[in-house]
C-alpha cells in the first residue's frame, strides 16, 4: 500500500517526506495508521550517521495509532484498537525472557538494521528497498508495520497526541527511578540535566515520595519547570565550578544524595555525581555516548557507593508503560506538560527544536 514517510536518504541529509510502498502485514504483523509520533535525540543521531543504521531508512520510534489490520497469528489486538509502539526486542534471548528487554542480546540488529529478522525491508521506493523497521516500527510515516512484541494497547479515548511521547526518553527517565534505583520516602534524589529524560525522572522521584528531589541544569526555564513538577531544589550550574555544584548537592541533601541520575553523558559530570553521593548511594548513567569516566576505587569503596548503567527504563515496556499510564491518570506523572505538537510535515523543525532545547518533547501529529 502507498504511505507517506519521512526518509533519511543518507547520513546528514534532512528527512524528506516521500511516497513509499509498504508491505502487506505478514501473519505476525500489525498494520497501524499512525496518529502521533514522538521525536527523540536518537532519531537525530541516526539521521547524522552516528548509529549503525543502513540508508535509506524511515526513522521514528515513538509511534502511536489505530490498528487497521492484524495478521492471522496476532491475538492481543484487533482492528480499531489504539496502541502505543515501544522499542522492539528479540523476545527469545536470556534477557528478554527475564523481562529485561532493553538489554536484549539482539538489540543492535532489532533496533538499527531497519529490516525484519529475515532481512526483508518492509518498504520500497520505486521498487528499491527502504528500511522501515527502525526500532521495529519506523513510525515517521502515515502507516507502520509492528508486531505484538512492540505494541501496548491503550483505552479508546487515549490522547495519542501526547501519549506517543511516553515510550522512549520519558520511559527511560521514569524507569531508571521506578525500576532500578532506590527513590522512595527517606531518600534524596538528584537529577542532572532536565530535558525530557531528566524531567521524567524528577516526576517519578516525586511520585515515589522521595524526601528531596534536586534538579540540576544550566537552563533557568527548565529548572523552573522542574520546580513546578515537584522538585524540592533547583540548582543552576551556569558559570559555576563543578566542585561548587557538588558541594551544594551534598549540602541540600544533608550529606549526599542517595540516588543520582546523570542524563548528560559528560564524564566530568558523572565523576562529580559520584562525589555527590551519600554513603551507600547509587549513581546511574542512561546514555552510552561520551568519553571514559575516571573514578578512584576508593571513591566507591570507602562509602559503599555504586555507579551503574540503566537502559531504556530497565524493564519490558509492555509491563512498564501501563504503570506510567496509571500514574498519569492519577495526576502523579504529568508528562504531557513536556509535550508540544507539530504537524508531520514539520518533522525537521521538530527535531531542530528538540536539539536546541526550545521544545522539551516534540510530538508530531498526522
Ligand atoms: Zn532479546
Ligand atoms: Zn528514543
Amino acid at each position: 500500500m502507498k504511505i507517506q514517510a519521512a526518509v533519511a536518504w543518507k547520513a546528514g541529509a534532512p528527512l524528506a517526506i516521500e511516497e513509499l510502498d509498504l508491505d502487506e502485514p505478514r501473519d505476525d504483523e500489525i498494520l497501524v495508521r499512525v496518529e502521533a509520533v514522538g521525536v527523540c535525540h536518537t532519531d537525530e543521531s541516526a539521521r547524522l550517521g552516528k548509529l549503525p543504521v543502513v540508508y535509506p531508512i524511515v526513522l521514528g520510534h515513538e509511534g502511536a495509532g489505530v490498528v487497521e489490520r492484524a495478521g492471522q497469528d496476532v491475538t492481543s489486538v484487533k482492528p480499531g484498537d489504539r496502541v502505543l509502539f515501544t522499542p522492539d526486542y528479540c523476545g527469545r534471548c536470556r534477557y528478554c525472557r527475564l523481562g529485561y528487554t532493553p538489554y536484549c542480546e539482539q538489540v543492535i540488529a532489532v533496533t538499527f538494521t531497519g529490516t525484519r529478522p529475515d532481512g526483508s525491508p518492509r518498504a520500497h521506493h520505486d521498487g528499491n528497498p527502504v528500511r522501515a523497521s527502525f526500532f521495529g516500527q519506523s513510525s515517521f510515516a502515515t502507516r507502520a508495520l509492528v508486531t505484538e512484541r512492540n505494541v501496548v494497547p491503550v483505552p479508546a479515548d487515549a490522547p495519542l497526541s501526547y501519549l506517543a511521547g511516553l515510550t522512549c526518553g520519558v520511559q527511560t527517565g521514569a524507569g531508571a527511578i521506578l525500576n532500578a534505583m532506590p527513590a522512595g520516602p527517606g531518600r534524596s534524589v538528584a537529577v542532572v540535566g532536565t530535558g525530557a529524560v531528566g524531567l521524567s525522572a524528577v516526576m517519578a522521584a516525586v511520585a515515589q515520595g522521595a524526601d528531596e528531589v534536586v534538579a540540576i541544569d544550566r537552563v533557568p526555564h527548565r529548572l523552573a519547570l522542574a520546580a513546578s513538577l515537584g522538585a524540592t531544589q533547583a540548582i543552576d550550574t551556569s558559570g559555576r565550578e563543578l566542585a561548587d555544584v557538588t558541594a551544594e548537592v551534598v549540602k541540600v541533601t544533608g550529606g549526599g544524595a542517595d540516588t543520582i541520575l546523570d542524563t548528560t553523558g559528560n564524564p566530568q559530570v558523572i565523576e562529580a555525581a559520584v562525589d555527590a553521593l551519600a554513603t551507600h548511594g547509587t549513581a546511574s548513567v542512561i546514555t552510552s555516548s561520551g568519553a571514559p569516566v575516571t573514578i578512584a576505587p576508593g571513591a566507591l569503596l570507602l562509602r559503599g557507593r555504586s555507579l551503574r548503567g540503566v537502559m531504556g527504563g530497565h524493564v519490558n515496556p509492555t509491563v512498564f508503560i501501563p504503570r506510567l499510564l496509571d500514574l498519569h491518570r492519577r495526576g502523579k506523572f504529568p508528562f504531557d506538560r513536556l509535550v508540544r505538537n507539530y504537524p508531520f510535515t514539520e518533522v525537521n523543525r521538530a527535531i531542530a527544536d528538540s536539539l536546541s532545547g526550545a521544545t522539551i518533547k516534540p510530538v508530531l501529529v498526522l
Side-chain angles (χ1 to χ4, degrees), residues 1-7 15-22 31-38 43 57-66 85 122-123 130-134 137-146 344-345 347 364-366:
M1 81 210 69
K2 301 289 185 192
I3 64 166
Q4 301 287 315
V7 178
L15 302 185
I17 295 184
E18 309 278 4
E19 184 173 273
L20 304 181
D21 293 295
L22 186 69
L31 174 67
V32 178
R33 189 180 76 247
V34 179
E35 286 197 350
V37 51
D43 294 307
I57 188 167
V58 179
L59 302 176
H61 62 285
E62 301 183 356
V66 179
F85 304 167
R122 278 184 175 164
V130 175
R131 309 270 170 152
S133 305
F134 183 61
Q137 53 180 281
S138 286
S139 44
F140 286 165
T142 52
R143 283 175 174 74
L145 290 170
V146 291
F344 177 48
T345 49
V347 56
L364 307 172
V365 288
L366 288 89

Side-chain angles (χ1 to χ4, degrees), residues 38-43 61-62 87 134-135 167-170 172 361:
V39 172
C40 168
H41 288 198
T42 306
D43 294 307
H61 62 285
E62 301 183 356
F134 183 61
F135 280 75
T167 56
C168 182
V170 170
T172 293
K361 188 68 204 175

Side-chain angles (χ1 to χ4, degrees), residues 214-234:
V214 184
I216 304 165
D217 206 310
R218 58 185 171 202
V219 182
H221 73 87
R222 291 189 180 209
L223 288 169
L225 181 54
S228 77
L229 291 167
T232 55
Q233 311 277 341

Side-chain angles (χ1 to χ4, degrees), residues 10-302:
K10 60 179 186 188
L15 302 185
I17 295 184
E18 309 278 4
E19 184 173 273
L20 304 181
D21 293 295
L22 186 69
D23 286 2
E24 295 297 314
R26 293 187 177 179
D27 289 348
D28 65 339
E29 289 179 337
I30 302 161
L31 174 67
V32 178
R33 189 180 76 247
V34 179
E35 286 197 350
V37 51
V39 172
C40 168
H41 288 198
T42 306
D43 294 307
E44 177 67 357
S45 299
R47 187 185 74 81
L48 292 175
K50 294 179 179 172
L51 295 168
V53 295
V54 180
Y55 304 94
I57 188 167
V58 179
L59 302 176
H61 62 285
E62 301 183 356
V66 179
V67 174
E68 284 197 330
R69 248 183 298 155
Q72 62 178 18
D73 295 345
V74 173
T75 57
S76 59
V77 294
K78 60 183 187 314
D81 286 352
R82 295 163 87 75
V83 294
L84 306 183
F85 304 167
T86 70
D88 202 5
Y89 48 91
C90 84
R92 295 180 304 277
C93 74
R94 171 181 164 82
Y95 303 103
C96 283
R97 284 187 281 114
L98 287 170
Y100 297 114
T101 59
Y103 307 97
C104 173
E105 291 176 345
Q106 304 295 321
V107 67
I108 297 293
V110 168
T111 305
F112 297 124
T113 60
T115 65
R116 296 186 180 93
D118 68 2
S120 60
R122 278 184 175 164
H124 289 80
H125 180 264
D126 287 341
N128 299 309
V130 175
R131 309 270 170 152
S133 305
F134 183 61
F135 280 75
Q137 53 180 281
S138 286
S139 44
F140 286 165
T142 52
R143 283 175 174 74
L145 290 170
V146 291
T147 69
E148 286 183 296
R149 280 191 308 278
N150 68 323
V151 292
V152 178
V154 293
D157 59 352
L160 300 184
S161 62
Y162 62 82
L163 290 188
L166 190 68
T167 56
C168 182
V170 170
Q171 164 186 300
T172 293
I177 297 298
L178 297 176
N179 299 325
M181 297 169 79
R187 310 272 190 179
S188 55
V189 176
V191 178
V192 190
T194 51
V197 176
L199 288 171
S200 299
V202 165
M203 285 186 281
V206 172
Q208 281 290 81
D211 284 4
E212 296 290 340
V213 180
V214 184
I216 304 165
D217 206 310
R218 58 185 171 202
V219 182
H221 73 87
R222 291 189 180 209
L223 288 169
L225 181 54
S228 77
L229 291 167
T232 55
Q233 311 277 341
I235 299 180
D236 188 340
T237 63
S238 40
R240 295 175 65 181
E241 298 289 331
L242 266 177
D244 184 33
V245 175
T246 303
E248 185 173 352
V249 175
V250 170
K251 181 167 170 239
V252 300
T253 54
D258 298 300
T259 290
I260 301 182
L261 182 69
D262 174 72
T263 69
T264 69
N266 179 309
Q268 284 82 40
V269 171
I270 295 167
E271 291 158 12
V274 170
D275 288 337
L277 285 173
T279 295
H280 295 177
T282 301
S284 290
V285 297
I286 51 90
T287 170
S288 63
S289 62
V293 174
T294 305
I295 292 172
L300 300 174
L301 175 71
L302 301 177

